[in-house]
Amino acid sequence: MTPAAAWILLVLAGILEVVWSVGLKYSEGFTRLVPSVVTIVAAAASFWLLAIAMRVLPLGTAYVVWTGIGAVGAALLGIWLFAEPATAARLACIVLIVAGIVGLKLLA
């Protein structure tokens, strides 16, 4: 697998991490069937894609990028879907996470 393909899989894994983290909220503690199934499938697929990407990418970089995509995505969707606060400080922290992800990608 090429490094470019590994990065694509890693980004997909990160997007699926966002799906399962939001799915956890909608599943209401795994008491709602459809959101629970979506959450479990997305989590399994996310871990699988992460594992495949780690065949090529460094562990630290891959894991930080994966969790960063998940953290930023979950925070932004929390603001958008669940009316969580969008304070300047919170948005600045999200920007810092994105800067760290970009930095690790450039240094990998």
Side-chain angles (χ1 to χ4, degrees), residues 8-22 42 46 49 65-66 68-70 73-74 77:
I8 291 168
L9 292 180
L10 182 61
V11 169
L12 291 173
I15 291 168
L16 287 169
E17 183 183 6
V18 175
V19 171
W20 69 257
S21 65
V22 172
S46 179
L49 291 173
V65 169
W66 179 69
I69 292 169
L77 285 176

Side-chain angles (χ1 to χ4, degrees), residues 82-95:
F82 305 111
E84 295 176 0
T87 64
R90 191 168 186 204
L91 295 174
C93 290
I94 291 170
V95 168

Side-chain angles (χ1 to χ4, degrees), residues 2-102:
T2 66
W7 279 104
I8 291 168
L9 292 180
L10 182 61
V11 169
L12 291 173
I15 291 168
L16 287 169
E17 183 183 6
V18 175
V19 171
W20 69 257
S21 65
V22 172
L24 281 174
K25 180 77 170 171
Y26 280 113
S27 76
E28 297 179 10
F30 293 110
T31 60
R32 297 179 59 212
L33 180 61
V34 172
S36 297
V37 170
V38 169
T39 299
I40 292 166
V41 169
S46 179
F47 284 117
W48 180 66
L49 291 173
L50 174 63
I52 292 171
M54 281 185 170
R55 291 178 183 167
V56 175
L57 302 175
L59 164 70
T61 301
Y63 187 73
V64 168
V65 169
W66 179 69
T67 58
I69 292 169
V72 168
L76 292 175
L77 285 176
I79 291 167
W80 183 48
L81 296 173
F82 305 111
E84 295 176 0
T87 64
R90 191 168 186 204
L91 295 174
C93 290
I94 291 170
V95 168
L96 289 172
I97 294 169
V98 171
I101 293 168
V102 170

